[in-house]
Amino acid sequence: MALGFGISLYLPSMAFPDLYAYIFNADEEVLGLVRTYAPLFLVGTIMFPIQMTLQNLNVAFGQAKSAIVLAVMRKVGILIPLCFVLSHFLSYPGVYMSEGIADLVAGTITGIVIFSTFPRIIRRRSESAKKYVGNDS
């Protein structure tokens, strides 16, 4: 569902980026900027709902600390450094690019972390449930 939601936001945004500009200003210069930089800024839109879903799943499995680290990593560990580095080399377009890149990288890292820890979490919960059921019999 999260992937579908991300795609349903991304595709219209790419097809009709002018809508964002018209909300605030219909000036031709603003429209040109939005047309140019919206794809760079929104490229991670597809991955962001997936990251949020996986973080919530992490919390549901009792891994709140890991979920917080992954959430903070996206903005503090990836986005802010990318803004500085890319803006240094690419000027202001680098700032727009950094948001999309940060979403993609953070979503990928979150997926790797969660799917690599799932077997251990499930095994531990299964063993705990067996002990609980074993003591109840």
Side-chain angles (χ1 to χ4, degrees):
M1 282 181 64
L3 179 60
F5 181 71
I7 291 171
S8 71
L9 290 177
Y10 180 74
L11 292 179
S13 297
M14 293 302 96
F16 309 106
D18 294 0
L19 292 175
Y20 294 111
Y22 283 122
I23 292 171
F24 302 102
N25 184 343
D27 184 79
E28 193 59 41
E29 186 176 349
V30 172
L31 287 171
L33 288 171
V34 170
R35 287 180 192 130
T36 302
Y37 297 112
L40 300 175
F41 185 79
L42 296 171
V43 72
T45 304
I46 293 171
M47 188 62 87
F48 185 65
I50 295 169
Q51 182 194 18
M52 289 177 44
T53 301
L54 292 175
Q55 285 176 339
N56 288 333
L57 187 61
N58 216 9
V59 171
F61 277 122
Q63 307 297 311
K65 289 179 186 177
S66 173
I68 290 170
V69 168
L70 291 168
V72 171
M73 172 199 62
R74 181 178 155 265
K75 290 291 188 189
V76 177
I78 299 172
L79 179 62
I80 292 172
L82 267 176
C83 281
F84 285 113
V85 170
L86 292 180
S87 66
H88 176 74
F89 291 106
L90 304 172
S91 188
Y92 66 90
V95 176
Y96 294 108
M97 291 174 70
S98 63
E99 179 71 27
I101 293 169
D103 286 343
L104 288 171
V105 170
T108 302
I109 291 171
T110 300
I112 291 168
V113 167
I114 290 176
F115 288 115
S116 66
T117 60
F118 268 2
R120 179 179 45 85
I121 294 168
I122 297 298
R123 186 174 45 254
R124 190 178 337 133
R125 287 182 166 257
S126 176
E127 291 168 0
S128 176
K130 286 177 186 176
K131 289 177 187 176
Y132 178 75
V133 171
N135 289 336
D136 196 33
S137 307

